[in-house]
């Protein structure tokens, strides 16, 4: 069985080329097979992948993820109520399983987010964050 990112790429390509119905169908396949919400409207860079085929991953529609990122099982990238902007994840970022990124935070390049961390503040380049709430280690 292919990774959920495979179905996301098909859905995103069809969405950008304005092909109707297929993006919604692919998103439904991802939801049913992988128990994940990976919307075709979000932006995931080349080389990024979901660990364990993307089981339990939840992404917001406006999420931006850079190149060569590794996203663990059960990760969530969600918004915070009064803010319009959403989280941006840079290139070469490792997001551990069960991590939650909340609000309009910016995760810069080469960051490691520990498993089960709750990230509420931005992380500078090359840092390691972990804990609840996440702090720079």
């Amino acid at each position: 069985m292919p990774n959920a990112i495979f179905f996301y790429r098909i859905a995103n390509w069809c969405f950008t080329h304005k092909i109707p119905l297929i993006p919604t169908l692919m998103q439904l396949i991802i939801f049913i097979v992988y128990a994940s919400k990976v919307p075709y409207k979000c932006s995931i860079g080349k080389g990024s992948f979901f660990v364990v085929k993307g089981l339990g991953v939840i992404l917001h529609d406006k999420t931006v993820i850079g190149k060569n990122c590794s996203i663990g099982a059960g990760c969530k990238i969600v918004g915070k109520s009064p803010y319009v902007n959403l989280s941006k994840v840079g290139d070469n970022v490792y997001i551990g399983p069960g991590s939650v990124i909340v609000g309009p935070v910016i995760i810069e390049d080469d960051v490691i987010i520990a498993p089960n961390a709750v990230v509420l503040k931005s992380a500078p380049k090359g840092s390691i964050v972990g804990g609840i709430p996440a702090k720079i280690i």
Side-chain angles (χ1 to χ4, degrees), residues 23-124:
T24 307
L25 181 66
M26 292 293 134
Q27 187 172 350
L28 182 63
I29 289 171
I30 292 170
F31 179 74
I32 291 171
V33 175
Y34 301 103
S36 299
K37 183 187 179 230
V38 182
Y40 54 85
K41 293 180 182 178
C42 70
S43 173
I44 301 175
K46 273 189 170 182
S48 295
F49 66 95
F50 297 128
V51 179
V52 194
K53 298 189 179 189
L55 291 174
V57 173
I58 297 175
L59 303 177
H60 192 275
D61 290 350
K62 297 179 183 176
T63 301
V64 177
I65 298 174
K67 300 175 188 170
N68 302 320
C69 293
S70 174
I71 302 165
C75 289
K76 294 162 185 59
I77 300 178
V78 295
K80 204 170 186 181
S81 182
Y83 301 104
V84 177
N85 296 334
L86 208 67
S87 301
K88 291 185 176 139
V89 179
D91 299 336
N92 305 314
V93 174
Y94 172 78
I95 303 174
S99 299
V100 180
I101 300 174
V102 181
V105 299
I106 297 173
I107 309 297
E108 294 186 19
D109 299 343
D110 305 317
V111 173
I112 296 173
I113 298 174
N116 297 319
V118 178
V119 180
L120 301 173
K121 296 181 182 175
S122 297

